[in-house]
Every structure is written in structure tokens, then in C-alpha cells.
Amino acid sequence: MLLQRLSLCAGLPLGPRTKSTIICPRLAKPLTQVSLARANGNSFAHRGELRQAKRIVVKLGSAVVTRGDECGLALGRLASVVEQVAMLQNQGREMMIVTSGAVAFGKQRLRHEILLSQSVRQALHSGQNQLKDMSVPVLEARACAAAGQSGLMALYEAMFTQYSTCTAQVLVTNLDFHDDQKRQNLNSTLQELLRMNIVPIINTNDAVVPPPEPNSDLQGVISIKDNDSLAARLAVEMKADLLIALSDVEGLYDSPPGSDDAKLIDIFYPGDQQSITYGTKSRVGLGGMEAKVKAALWALQGGTSVVIANGTHPKVTGHVITDIVEGKKVGTFFSEVKPAGPTVEQQTEMARNSGRTLAALHPDQRGAIICHLADLLVEKKEEILAANKTDMDLAANAGQLSSALLNRLSLSPAKLNSLAIGLRQIAVASQDSVGRVLRRTRVAHNLELEQITVPIGVLLVIFEARPDCLPQVSALAIASGNALLAKGGKEAANTNRVLHELTQEALDIHGVKEAVQLVNTREEVEDLCRLDKMIDLIIPRGSSQLVRNIQRAAKSIPVLGHSEGICHVYVDSEATIDKVIKIVRDSKCDYPAACNAMETLLVHRDILRTTLFDQIIDMLRTERVKIHAGPRFASYLTFSPSEVKSLRTEYGDLECCIEVVDSMQEAIDHIHRYGSSHTDVIVTENEDTAEQFLQQLDSACVFWNASSRFADGYRFGLGAEVGISTARIHARGPVGLEGLLTTKWVLRGDGHTAADFSEHGTLKYLHENLPVTQPQPRQMAAQRED
């Protein structure tokens, strides 16, 4: 009986099934959840649904399990796979492994035995310790499999034991699936193992299996030719929710990997196989990518979702399985549901191509697009506000947004008019943006060098519940000749849709409609941040948590932004009452949720217990601002407000911290230690003190006798901003049009070569700085980044 063999392999004694006879470290967990897809008999339609997968088959290809020399196992990779499978098993999922590796493990053992035997014989015959060169005969695969099965299973068992997880070995052949009784026995055995919370380790019995016959598939049934087909057949037979096939390639490509134009296919749909070209199979194993695709499509037809991914890459092996189950964009996902619109990769490609045309337009044409968009915001305001009301009603009913976020989500006629004014300012500024000459140098006679401004490329702007961000960043992208991917929060889905339609209507007057794309797919932000070959700059607009998450996820794409807006106002001992009250009130109370709102009020020790300080406190109480006392401020008070938990806190509401300092220098030190290098203010009448503060403080924006709320692109005269950057390179502070441009060097010569300037050459470097003259509009239109 197969069950008896399994019991012996798993170390389970036969007999009545009672708790005393189960020697697994953990008791079986009841099946508490059935995935939605499997309940309906369908595969998952989207990656995000993979989190619901309950029963999962992990197929480990030969290239994953074996070492590069094909003799022995890749223990490090195998250990990371075991750790991930055990973790998912401990979450209550039902895990099965279809593994290769018995032949490689057996080959290692047999080679060792043969070499040892040869060395002994040679030593006996020669009578000397010096041995002749020994050759190892070609080893037959079935013999290697027979020698390696027990060792491979012992290795799995030892590894899983470290995570208190039981395993059981199952060896199968094609006949076990073609014979109804054997197939039922196999199904029953695996169901029982899963019920007892045991991980089945399944492999073809390569010691006795005959060579695969070509074209031996039966009608509607896939033949077991390799572990790809075995995993697919097993997944369908066991009604698995997900099959993860790990190999030595990133996934499925539209042409052989390594070719110049090969692109990784994110989602593969049935019927798309005619559009791809298969390469050669992996260095080891029986199946190639064509076999994997065939097996995956067969499993998909049977109701099991499939992902093919790389299990050998050292940077991802340790989390590839868990990433797939979490719905992250890893490998190729097979889906039967084809979305109506383009994929985000296709959107990025369309945006880049259209963006290059946008950059080549006459400056007046780009300005006309922006002005037309400004007109549409006013003309179509009823349509915009109706969509916004729908979003507001949905958000209010859901009850998940704070009052501050609801305020950001809301649009009004006044906001739309203000947006239109800002867009027209951008249109004016765009006249001399792209193609502007920054520097001209005569390198030598008839050899002139220019540094000119060009677009960055493709921008990804991610914003939360702030639909007014979409027309602002669209206008800035248009003015700077950049393509734009906009990813808005779901809270503003209806408003964003209408605003994007208006943006594309404006772009269409000069045939560049696709330059601005709205990402409406189910892409996770982390997945978008991995498109390093398609996106040139990411600009997050939202909470500090959103910005931090994007900065962590975007390892290969620059991120322009700030993670926190911990802004300070320092009230010096020589400050006047009127200015202090006005500046502190505006900095804190005008818009508490803004990133440039005051979060900490620093006061000089000399103004404590003065009329000035009393008026500050009275004003904050009148404005209903909750006060948190810093450690030093609390020490001065008998009955103090709640002491601050951290001096590095962004409240984003009508709350602030008050702390006491002894001097202006101590205020600077405090800001450097607890601030976020965003915006900081000094209020004083002493010009020398103010100048020292402005010079010494290392923040993106430093103000004297002005509210922190001035840290804004519109107030700076930039028209609008894509965000405020606290980075030390590229753009810093409110980032408008200039921050979305980079430069390139243009050299105009007359047959010059580097050899002309060598020791024996005829030319000498001049390096003369020339007057900067801007090119004519027709020339500017031709100067763009390719």
C-alpha cells in the first residue's frame, strides 16, 4: 500500500490514528478557510488574490536544486526554500513540494564511491601512495536516482525539522496517474498527509521510470514527462490554488532570454503562446521553458493559478516564494482574465514614446496645452465637482479617512480657479525650459561645447487623497517635456478619472495624448518601484509613511521627496509680540495637515513667564491646539501638559510640542538633531542673530520672520510644485519646473579627433567661456533627450 510506504518514509508508525501515534512536532490544524477561487472552481484573476491561496504546490527545478557543476545540491538555495515553505505552512496553508535533485545527489555519492574504490585498487596494485590520474565513467541516471533518493529525503527531513515541520516522501510514475485506482490512492494519501499538517515531498521515481514518449499526452490529460508536467498534474489532481514553478530564469520572455529585445512577460494569457519564441532548455533537467508553459496552461485550465519565477538569483531566493504568495510582481503570472486596458509596462512605453514627441514640440505648443488644460478645469468644473462629490460620499460612508485627509480629498470652485491660475503660470515659465543653454565653451578652433537642459524622462508620481495633484504635476511634466505616470489613491478614483480625461483632451491638440498616463491597474506601489528600466524618477506625494515605503522599495530609481515634515519655529528673546503671534498661528493653524506646518515651537528661556509667552499659549488654546511639553519645558511647570513622547514627531493636526532652549545656537542644534531638514523659522528683530540662523541651519527652507507655510511652490512663484525635497542632491525645497530638468552636453566640431590634441597633435585646447545665447525655437524643438 502506498500509505504504508509513506508512513515509513515519514517516520509515522502504522496503527490506529490517535494522538499518541502521531510523532510530528505539531498537531494537525483544521482547514479553516477555503480560497474564493477554488470554491468557484476558477484560478485567481489578479496577483493580489494570491494572498488567498490555501493549498500551494512549489516545484523546484533541477537548476534550482543542483549546483553549477551538476554534481551535488545547492544547499544554501534549498535551505531558503525550506524556510519559506515552513513559514507558509505555519501560517495555516497546505504546502506540497515537487522536487528534482535525486540524480544530482546520487551522482555525487556514486562519484565519491567510484573514486574511493579506484584509489584503493591503484594503491594495492602499485604499492605506492602516489596515484595515477583517475577518470570517472559516465553514470547512468537511474542508478544515480536510486542512490540519491534516500539522501535527498534525509536532507529535506533534517531541514524541515528545524522549523518543527514534518515531511513525507512520495515517489510516483506516469502509471500512478493513468490508473484510476492508483490515482485515487495517491489522492487519498496526500489528503491525509495534508490533514495531519505534513509537507509531502514528491518526485518521479527516476530509478524505474521509462524515458518519456513524444506526443504521449492523452485527450485532455497531460503526460508525466518531467517535474513540470508532474507538478501541473498533481496541482490539478489535488485542487491546489497555486502552483509556483521555480527555475533559473526570471520568468517567461517574449523571446529567448539574453537576446537584445527580450522582455519579461508580467502576465501571460492563454492564446499568447504564438507571440513568444522559446530558447534552449536549462543546463540540467528534462523540461525547457516550452514544457513549463505547456504545463502551466494545463494547470490553469484545471483551475490552478501558476507563477513561473527565478529560484536561483541570490538576491531574491530568500523571499521569492513568500513574495509571490503576497501578490508581489515576481516572475510571470498566468491568468485567464485579460484586462481591458493596457498593462502598466505598456502604459510606460506609450508614455515614453509620446513624451519624446512632447519634448520636441515648440515651447508655445507645450504652453498652449497647459493653458487649454487650465481652461478645461474652469469650463468642466461641474463635471469635476460631481465626480469629487461621489468620492467624498464614498469616503464618508467608509469612515476610514481622517478629517485632514477628507479636506485634502475635497475640491471646490475656489480650488479649481486657483489651480487654473497656477497652471497658467507654469505655461509662461515653460517658454524657456527645455533646450535652454546653460554654458558655452570654445574647446578649440571650430569645436564648441554646450550644456543644455533636457527632460528627465518618465516620471512616476504617487499621490494619496489629493486629486488637485494630478493637474498640477501633469502641467509641470508637460512644461518640462517629461512623460508622466500618475498613480492616485483609490479614495479619489472618480475625480482622478475625470481630471485625467481632461488632461489627455488638452494633450491631444498637438497629438501627444499618451504622454500622461493614469495607472488604474491593481499594481502595488512596491511593484511600480521595481520598474527601474522604465521609470527615471519617482515623486511621492502623501503621508510620511507612504514616502518611507517608496524610498525603501525603490532601490534602483531615484526618489524625490521628504519622508517627514517636522518644521520648527524658534522664538528668539528679541522677538516682538505681533510678529510671533501672527507667524506661530499661521504656521500651525492655517493648514495643520500640510507638510510645512509647524510641529515644534522652540522658545528662548528668557521669554518664559513673560506677557509674550502668555499670549502665545492663549492663542494656541483659542485655536484648540493640543500642547505637548518637551522635557525642559515640563521641568519649568508645576502642572504641565502631557509630556511629549518623542521630539521627532509630525502631528499633522492641531497639536504641537513646545520646548525651551537657552540660545539661538541651542535652537539650531535641536533642529539638526530632531528636525527633518524641511522648513524652519526664526522670529527675531536682531539681524545678526537671524543671519547666523539662516547661514548655519541645514534645512531645505530657512525663513526669518515669515510663516513656515511659505514653503510652497505656488507661493515661491513656481506656479505649482511636484513636492518638497529634503535631499542634498538634484532639487531641494519646493520642486517646480526647474527640478524636473536635467542636462546634456552637445559638442559641435569639424572633423576633430582626440589625437589632434595629443603631444604630437596640431591643436591646443582653448577652453574659452563664450556668451550664452539661447537657440531659436526651431532649434530648441530639435534638442531633446533620446
Side-chain angles (χ1 to χ4, degrees), residues 495-567:
T495 314
N496 288 338
R497 175 182 51 79
V498 174
L499 291 172
H500 178 248
E501 289 172 356
L502 297 179
T503 303
Q504 289 204 317
E505 181 180 338
L507 287 163
D508 204 26
I509 65 174
H510 288 297
V512 286
K513 178 180 178 180
E514 308 298 339
V516 175
Q517 298 283 330
L518 182 64
V519 179
N520 282 321
T521 63
R522 301 167 66 98
E523 304 292 330
E524 297 288 345
V525 169
E526 186 171 341
D527 292 330
L528 291 172
C529 293
R530 294 180 180 179
L531 301 177
D532 58 301
K533 295 181 180 179
M534 298 181 169
I535 296 170
D536 300 299
L537 180 67
I538 299 177
I539 305 172
R541 296 288 304 271
S543 66
S544 58
Q545 186 62 49
L546 170 71
V547 179
R548 281 194 296 268
N549 290 342
I550 291 172
Q551 287 173 334
R552 280 195 297 266
K555 298 177 181 177
S556 303
I557 308 176
V559 178
L560 189 152
H562 64 279
S563 59
E564 292 175 306
I566 305 174
C567 303

Side-chain angles (χ1 to χ4, degrees), residues 575-585 612 615 683 685:
T576 61
I577 291 180
D578 291 343
K579 289 180 182 178
V580 170
I581 297 300
K582 286 178 61 179
I583 290 170
V584 172
R585 177 189 283 119
L612 170 59
Q615 290 191 25
V683 185
E685 295 304 307

Side-chain angles (χ1 to χ4, degrees), residues 206-254:
D206 293 327
V208 298
V209 69
E213 299 178 9
N215 303 320
S216 59
D217 293 352
L218 302 178
Q219 183 65 33
V221 178
I222 191 170
S223 177
I224 307 301
K225 302 184 182 71
D226 48 48
N227 276 344
D228 295 312
S229 53
L230 169 60
R233 186 69 190 271
L234 183 75
V236 173
E237 181 70 30
M238 296 301 298
K239 294 182 170 56
D241 302 312
L242 173 61
L243 167 60
I244 300 174
L246 298 183
S247 183
D248 58 352
V249 292
E250 303 299 324
L252 181 60
Y253 287 80
D254 57 0

